[in-house]
Amino acid sequence: MTAPALRVLAVASEAYPLVKTGGLADVVGALPAALAAAGVETRTLLPGYPAVLKALAGAAPVNAWPAFFGGAARLLAGRAGALDLFALDAPHLYDRPGNPYIGPDGADWPDNALRFAALARAGADVARGALAAWRPDVVHAHDWQAALLPAYLRYGPTPAPRSVVTVHNLAFQGQFPRALLASLGLPEASFAIDGVEYYGAIGFLKAGLQLADAITTVSPTYALEIQGPEAGMGLDGLLRTRSGALHGILNGVDVDVWNPQTDRRIAATYAPRAMRRRVQNRTALQRRLRLEEDDGALLIGVVSRLSWQKGLDLLLECLPTLFEEGAQLALLGAGDADLESAYRSAASSHPGRVGLFIGYDEDLAHLVQAGADALLVPSRFEPCGLTQLCALRYGAVPIVARVGGLADTIVDANEMALAAGVATGVQFAPGSAARLSDALRRAAALHCDRAVWSRLQTNGMNADVSWTRPARRYVEIYRRLARNEPLT
Ligand code: ADP
Ligand code: GLC
């Protein structure tokens, strides 16, 4: 007999393809389908941003709050693509164009505490049975924007289902002034070391990590790293205390969205056994970014937010090495103004060698993966990283810093791994331009040996980067929570 479907309410601030600023959206958008295959029914609660409401046009309201964090709110339910969604329709909080977190002046929206507390609170209400027709067995909150949810469960009426919080990036914690406590609807008693208090302020992520029944993060290595002071970013002590409830589960990618055999966004589809067609994407990428159409050059791609985390300042220092090796750079990215302008000037000083698109472009992200020989991810820290997984699937050999999920997903082409035929890329020690330069030289040398390089590509393309295995790990956690079993 098959086990009855488990109901999970996922709560997040973005989901591909509706709203995306990074990998969080990819995860929230893709995990439900893999969970469904493993017997879990997921409904995903998102803020009712314009794009979300548009996707749910005509959907029926299933709940209403006349006064909710400063205005009236409704809950809409419907299906968009592969996702069963709830949207929190609260125009006073979410009816704003563009980026979900920042306003037109480039600063965080001043009411972000209320905007995301409302999301968590709506999730807690659904969790506690606000909808007669659907009540979850477990609640899954993603990142700081949803992490106040366990606090609403803890400081509200019982019974409430058990909760899991997933940390996608500990660098974003959601800290807000203590004075907001009452407007968030939290009692005075919650402002305590074992509650929402965090260095004298209200810590959304801290609250989630403190009060969730289970914590997951997106790779086993990051799960260890964040229990130390360097990657722990102030929360390592708490995470050590909760290590029994903390699990590192690697991300996967949506293998239908990222499939070189069917991808309509690239110039030519290809399969691991028919790689000759791949070169058409290489040429298309070179043309698109005005790179020299040079067949021999090692074409290195980057698809990234431009931020300190991603280590792309280090790559600027390594450009001389890259040119010495005869390589080219194809960079797609957006973010810090300083990095954007530094790359713009690198591109204008090295026409034909540095190709650039500053901005966000989903189609081009696919073409970079399909056309570049290698994909570079030089992060200082990386909870999981998804672009190296896409690169494996597309036969772009990943060159990655040995940190977080990058360390867990790429097998370095050292002598042993090459001899055993299991290597998939190049790893180097993070945070140093010298080590990055060494890695670029090593990649260029490997690239000169066509047999070795194509073995790296094939190994990568045969690696399992799907959600199938990770989804089973989440299901195991959900089941234990639903049955009130211990997590370790
Ligand atoms: P993070 O979430 O830290 O930014 P990830 O590697 O987990 O890093 O996920 C990044 C996601 O965003 C990937 O799907 C990647 O393809 C995409 N991405 C990043 N920058 C861009 C860009 N400039 N244009 C298009 N897609 C991008
Ligand atoms: C975060 C992390 C990234 C991870 C993504 C999805 O944005 O920076 O490493 O892959 O979340 O979990």
Side-chain angles (χ1 to χ4, degrees):
M1 213 178 85
T2 52
L6 203 73
R7 292 175 168 184
V8 173
L9 175 67
V11 184
S13 57
E14 43 184 281
Y16 179 86
L18 301 174
V19 222
K20 167 166 164 177
T21 71
L24 168 65
D26 293 312
V27 172
V28 174
L31 182 55
L35 291 171
V40 168
E41 177 194 332
T42 308
R43 297 211 182 173
T44 305
L45 170 62
L46 297 174
Y49 311 119
V52 173
L53 296 185
K54 196 171 156 213
L56 284 190
V62 291
N63 200 32
W65 297 264
F68 200 65
F69 295 84
R74 303 185 306 166
L75 192 70
L76 304 177
R79 199 167 163 86
L83 293 175
D84 278 316
L85 290 182
F86 290 125
L88 179 59
D89 180 14
H92 60 295
L93 301 173
Y94 309 125
D95 186 14
R96 305 174 196 183
N99 183 293
Y101 316 117
I102 56 187
D105 59 353
D108 286 357
W109 290 109
D111 57 348
N112 273 350
L114 293 183
R115 296 175 73 226
F116 295 109
L119 177 71
R121 179 57 202 262
D125 287 0
V126 172
R128 272 208 209 83
L131 315 181
W134 196 86
R135 188 181 182 139
D137 301 299
V138 174
V139 204
H140 188 166
H142 292 271
D143 266 354
W144 76 263
Q145 293 90 347
L148 216 48
L149 204 157
Y152 287 118
L153 295 180
R154 166 74 177 72
Y155 300 105
T158 47
R162 298 178 86 202
S163 60
V164 46
V165 164
T166 295
V167 181
H168 293 267
N169 194 338
L170 211 57
F172 303 102
Q173 301 188 354
Q175 267 165 266
F176 300 100
R178 183 205 197 297
L180 288 176
L181 196 69
S183 51
L184 300 183
L186 287 166
E188 271 303 311
S190 69
F191 196 76
I193 184 94
D194 58 356
V196 307
E197 189 272 340
Y198 185 52
Y199 294 109
I202 302 167
F204 279 34
L205 186 61
K206 187 268 176 171
L209 299 180
Q210 181 80 46
L211 300 166
D213 298 293
I215 302 168
T216 70
T217 189
V218 288
S219 68
T221 294
Y222 194 59
L224 291 175
E225 288 168 351
I226 57 178
Q227 295 181 59
E230 210 178 313
M233 300 187 169
L235 288 163
D236 46 303
L238 170 55
L239 287 162
R240 282 195 300 278
T241 319
R242 300 227 55 206
S243 62
L246 171 61
H247 300 260
I249 305 177
L250 273 179
N251 287 332
V253 294
D254 186 325
V255 290
D256 295 326
V257 173
W258 295 98
N259 182 353
Q261 302 189 42
T262 56
D263 195 333
R264 296 221 185 112
R265 301 170 192 253
I266 62 180
T269 54
Y270 55 96
R273 283 166 189 279
M275 291 289 275
R276 226 172 297 144
R277 284 168 58 80
R278 193 176 189 278
V279 76
Q280 295 178 43
N281 295 305
R282 193 173 185 280
T283 306
L285 177 60
Q286 286 174 320
R287 283 193 188 144
R288 171 83 195 268
L289 296 184
R290 292 192 293 279
L291 288 163
E292 283 164 27
E293 286 174 41
D294 165 351
D295 284 345
L298 171 65
L299 173 48
I300 299 177
V302 170
V303 179
S304 185
R305 289 187 286 120
L306 299 180
S307 74
W308 186 85
Q309 170 189 345
K310 301 292 180 180
L312 289 164
D313 51 319
L314 303 170
L315 177 59
L316 284 167
E317 288 181 52
C318 297
L319 288 179
T321 310
L322 196 142
F323 301 138
E324 273 163 34
E325 296 297 334
Q328 298 181 343
L329 177 66
L331 182 138
L332 164 62
D336 294 358
D338 290 358
L339 284 170
E340 290 187 355
S341 71
Y343 275 103
R344 281 204 177 94
S345 67
S348 62
S349 338
H350 302 280
R353 307 304 294 174
V354 175
L356 208 59
F357 184 90
I358 298 288
Y360 194 88
D361 187 327
E362 202 77 48
D363 291 348
L364 185 54
H366 285 242
L367 186 62
V368 173
Q369 298 287 9
D373 299 309
L375 186 97
L376 176 64
V377 194
S379 308
R380 290 190 166 85
F381 68 93
E382 195 61 73
C384 180
L386 296 175
T387 58
Q388 85 281 11
L389 300 179
C390 302
L392 287 174
R393 195 151 162 77
Y394 277 66
V397 173
I399 305 172
V400 303
R402 190 180 304 108
V403 69
L406 301 173
D408 292 335
T409 51
I410 304 305
V411 182
D412 180 60
N414 56 39
E415 263 177 53
M416 265 176 14
L418 283 174
V422 295
T424 57
V426 171
Q427 288 194 350
F428 60 96
S432 146
R435 297 289 81 81
L436 172 51
S437 284
D438 293 345
L440 294 174
R441 286 193 201 97
R442 198 150 67 87
L446 290 164
H447 183 245
C448 289
D449 187 330
R450 287 179 69 168
V452 167
W453 195 260
S454 73
R455 184 67 198 266
L456 293 176
Q457 290 182 297
T458 320
N459 287 348
M461 294 179 87
N462 289 331
D464 180 6
V465 296
S466 77
W467 273 105
T468 308
R469 270 187 299 178
R472 282 195 214 120
R473 301 267 328 267
Y474 281 106
V475 173
E476 181 62 22
I477 290 177
Y478 296 153
R479 292 215 185 277
R480 285 183 185 206
L481 289 176
R483 291 190 202 121
N484 253 317
E485 288 171 6
L487 281 157
T488 45

